[in-house]
Amino acid sequence: MAEEAKEAQQEKNVPEGAPEDCGGSCGSCGVSDCGARTAPSKYAPNGRSSIKEIIAVVSGKGGVGKSLVTSLLAAELARQGKKVGILDADVTGPSIPKAFGAAGAPAPDQDGINPLETQEGIKVISANLLLPSEDTPVAWRGPVITGVLQQFFSEVNWGDLDVLLIDMPPGTSDVFLTVFQMFPVDGIVTVSAPQELVGMIVGKAVNLAHSLNVPVIGLVENMAYFKCDECGKEHHIFGEPQGEAVAAKYDIPAVATLPIDPVFAQKVDAGKVSEYDTNGALDPILKAIEEV
């Protein structure tokens, strides 16, 4: 039986000495003490990069404004004088370049890839910057996406950064595991909407992050209310806000709320998301990032 198992592993190109259930891809495996490991337990930035802090922005569900929150946090941090980068890990649905009006292909040199830099000085790398046109579909399988993410982190000349924000795709599948097992992430900010269903899905992402020993430093409840221009009253279109209750349930230290605001869409479509004034709404999250 042992000989048959060994032959089966060889057929899958699995290194000798690896566990029987090894899939042969060290880059997406979190077993750091495997004797047959051929990839480092954590990816590291290249020699021209010094990153003080890595924060991932996640959501267990799509459509709650995760990329918007990533963009707003980057703009606010840049206004504070921080050196900021964004790694767009939503490879199949990248939107960060559009939000900042960033266009053009990143230029390679002998050391790696030079990220694009926005007018605000925010460094950005995204799959959309590498495609022939922004509407070219990306239909790649998990191992290919894992390889792209490794290159985005380890082969990009990030320079000196105070904060690298990782805009994650929705859900808790392959990319989530790759980033949190292989990247030295310091903490996550999770994004939700007021519906109770979304709160439950947030719990899935938070619990998975805890199982991977990654601290959850903040929760942003997006679309929490709509403020009427005429009467000034706040209307809860999607139900009563749940951010405080969800944060208390999962022991998340910082909570912020953002409204439903048509200006968000206008600024993103115009590539001017950094012009939006949050009026201090994200201050609790910014403070949590500072404290990390």
Side-chain angles (χ1 to χ4, degrees):
M1 289 294 291
E3 189 64 30
E4 291 177 2
K6 183 177 180 180
E7 290 177 0
Q9 284 190 325
Q10 289 174 345
E11 289 179 3
K12 294 190 296 182
N13 295 319
V14 174
E16 186 175 352
E20 290 186 8
D21 59 350
C22 175
S25 177
C26 295
S28 59
C29 173
V31 183
S32 59
D33 58 351
C34 173
R37 190 174 186 84
T38 60
S41 58
K42 292 283 186 182
Y43 297 139
N46 70 9
R48 284 173 55 184
S49 304
S50 175
I51 304 171
K52 295 180 181 177
E53 189 175 351
I54 300 176
I55 302 295
V57 181
V58 309
S59 65
K61 183 180 184 301
V64 296
K66 169 184 46 58
S67 295
L68 172 67
V69 170
T70 303
S71 302
L72 292 174
L73 285 173
E76 293 283 359
L77 288 165
R79 271 193 284 271
Q80 293 179 0
K82 299 285 195 304
K83 296 176 182 178
V84 185
I86 302 178
L87 190 161
D88 191 351
D90 194 354
V91 175
T92 60
S95 55
I96 293 297
K98 176 72 172 178
F100 286 96
D109 61 23
Q110 68 272 16
D111 296 321
I113 307 166
N114 295 312
L116 255 62
E117 195 164 325
T118 71
Q119 293 182 347
E120 303 77 19
I122 299 168
K123 296 179 179 180
V124 175
I125 192 70
S126 171
N128 245 24
L129 299 175
L130 307 173
L131 300 175
S133 63
E134 64 178 13
D135 59 354
T136 299
V138 177
W140 296 338
R141 295 188 183 276
V144 177
I145 294 176
T146 296
V148 170
L149 293 178
Q150 178 187 3
Q151 289 181 302
F152 279 178
F153 183 65
S154 299
E155 298 181 22
V156 168
N157 303 321
W158 290 108
D160 293 328
L161 292 182
D162 294 306
V163 182
L164 176 65
L165 297 172
I166 302 179
D167 182 27
M168 296 287 291
T172 54
S173 57
D174 202 30
V175 172
F176 193 102
L177 292 173
T178 296
V179 169
F180 290 108
Q181 288 178 334
M182 307 308 298
F183 288 20
V185 177
D186 296 294
I188 73 170
V189 172
T190 184
V191 183
S192 74
Q195 301 98 315
E196 186 173 344
L197 171 64
V198 178
M200 178 267 291
I201 296 173
V202 165
K204 293 179 181 292
V206 169
N207 287 330
L208 182 53
H210 285 161
S211 72
L212 297 172
N213 297 317
V214 179
V216 182
I217 64 171
L219 166 68
V220 178
E221 186 172 31
N222 192 26
M223 300 179 284
Y225 61 90
F226 172 75
K227 190 171 184 178
C228 177
D229 293 336
E230 296 182 1
C231 68
K233 183 179 178 181
E234 293 184 359
H235 300 273
H236 300 136
I237 306 296
F238 296 117
E240 292 294 321
Q242 313 240 350
E244 295 286 351
V246 171
K249 180 177 180 179
Y250 296 106
D251 197 25
I252 302 172
V255 184
T257 60
L258 292 174
I260 300 171
D261 191 344
V263 178
F264 281 145
Q266 296 168 11
K267 294 295 185 183
V268 169
D269 288 345
K272 298 179 178 179
V273 69
S274 60
E275 292 182 358
Y276 188 87
D277 185 2
T278 62
N279 293 312
L282 291 175
D283 284 356
I285 307 299
L286 296 169
K287 182 179 178 182
I289 291 175
E290 183 76 24
E291 290 175 350
V292 169

